């Protein structure tokens, strides 16, 4: 396919879907709130496109989303609140992008719902302890079973906040 952008208007008749596969297109832009009525959607595949950023409003409405595939894009920036409302997300694939920093919202999800996170082959430089659960002092209940961050420029990571993770 040759889809280059997504808008509320272009998706308005698809809101009943449970899965949406838009991979291997030419998508470089997603209008904010394009998925606002997609409260049934559980899987969204946007891999192998030309996305460069995920705004705070890009994924709005995806409250039941469990699987998100954003790998093999050109993503350099993800807004720190982009994943805040994705409270049911279990798996996220961000590998082979151009991310240097991880948004706090994805790191908070690691401590709540995420089981599988793949961030391989990104130029990620630093993952700090303060990025996770910065607004609470509770002990984290880590359920993650797969965390991949190899193949980048990682020079510093603090795993002390993952005390409950079984190695």
């Amino acid at each position: 396919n040759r889809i280059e952008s997504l808008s509320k208007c272009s998706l308005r008749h698809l809101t009943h879907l449970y899965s949406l596969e838009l991979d291997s297109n030419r998508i470089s832009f997603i209008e904010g709130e394009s998925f606002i009525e997609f409260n049934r959607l559980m899987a969204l595949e946007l891999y192998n496109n030309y996305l460069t950023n995920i705004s705070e409003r890009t994924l709005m409405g995806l409250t039941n989303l469990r699987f998100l595939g954003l790998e093999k894009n050109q993503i350099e920036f993800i807004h720190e609140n982009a994943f805040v409302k994705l409270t049911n997300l279990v798996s996220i694939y961000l590998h082979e992008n151009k991310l240097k920093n991880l948004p706090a919202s994805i790191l908070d999800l690691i401590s709540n719902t995420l089981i599988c996170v793949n961030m391989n082959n990104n130029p990620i430089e630093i993952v700090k302890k303060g990025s996770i659960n910065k607004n609470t002092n509770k002990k984290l209940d880590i359920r993650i079973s797969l965390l991949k961050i190899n193949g980048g420029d990682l020079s510093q990571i603090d795993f002390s906040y993952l005390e409950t993770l079984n190695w």
Side-chain angles (χ1 to χ4, degrees):
N1 294 323
R2 296 183 179 171
I3 300 169
E4 294 182 3
S5 64
L6 299 176
S7 67
K8 284 189 239 184
C9 185
S10 66
L11 298 172
R12 71 177 178 269
H13 298 293
L14 303 174
T15 59
H16 62 283
L17 296 176
Y18 289 96
S19 179
L20 181 57
E21 296 180 11
L22 293 166
D23 57 276
S24 302
N25 277 285
R26 297 178 180 176
I27 300 169
S28 61
F29 176 74
I30 300 174
E31 179 184 10
E33 300 181 16
S34 290
F35 300 108
I36 198 73
E37 301 293 327
F38 281 73
N39 56 0
R40 293 182 184 175
L41 199 68
M42 297 178 76
L44 178 59
E45 294 277 11
L46 288 165
Y47 67 86
N48 200 27
N49 277 291
Y50 298 101
L51 295 170
T52 58
N53 70 74
I54 304 298
S55 78
E56 183 174 19
R57 297 172 45 225
T58 302
L59 303 171
M60 275 188 160
L62 298 174
T63 54
N64 285 313
L65 196 68
R66 296 179 57 78
F67 178 90
L68 179 59
L70 292 169
E71 69 270 27
K72 296 184 180 180
N73 276 282
Q74 304 294 317
I75 301 171
E76 295 179 8
F77 173 77
I78 298 176
H79 190 278
E80 67 180 60
N81 294 322
F83 303 123
V84 168
K85 300 289 184 182
L86 304 182
T87 56
N88 291 305
L89 197 63
V90 175
S91 298
I92 187 165
Y93 295 87
L94 288 164
H95 56 281
E96 296 183 45
N97 278 293
K98 296 180 178 182
L99 292 169
K100 289 188 177 184
N101 299 305
L102 300 179
S105 56
I106 190 170
L107 297 173
D108 285 340
L109 285 173
I110 289 174
S111 68
N112 293 315
T113 62
L114 281 176
I115 294 173
C116 179
V117 181
N118 189 337
M119 296 178 283
N120 282 354
N121 298 316
N122 278 288
I124 296 170
E125 296 172 353
I126 298 175
V127 178
K128 298 179 186 175
K129 177 179 181 177
S131 299
I132 293 185
N133 233 9
K134 62 184 176 187
N135 297 321
T136 180
N137 291 324
K138 70 177 185 175
K139 185 164 180 150
L140 300 179
D141 180 20
I142 305 297
R143 299 182 324 141
I144 196 161
S145 60
L146 175 65
L147 173 61
K148 289 186 170 187
I149 50 176
N150 59 306
D153 295 327
L154 190 62
S155 62
Q156 178 184 346
I157 188 164
D158 182 351
F159 282 114
S160 64
Y161 57 88
L162 298 177
E163 294 172 0
T164 60
L165 185 63
N166 293 322
W167 296 85

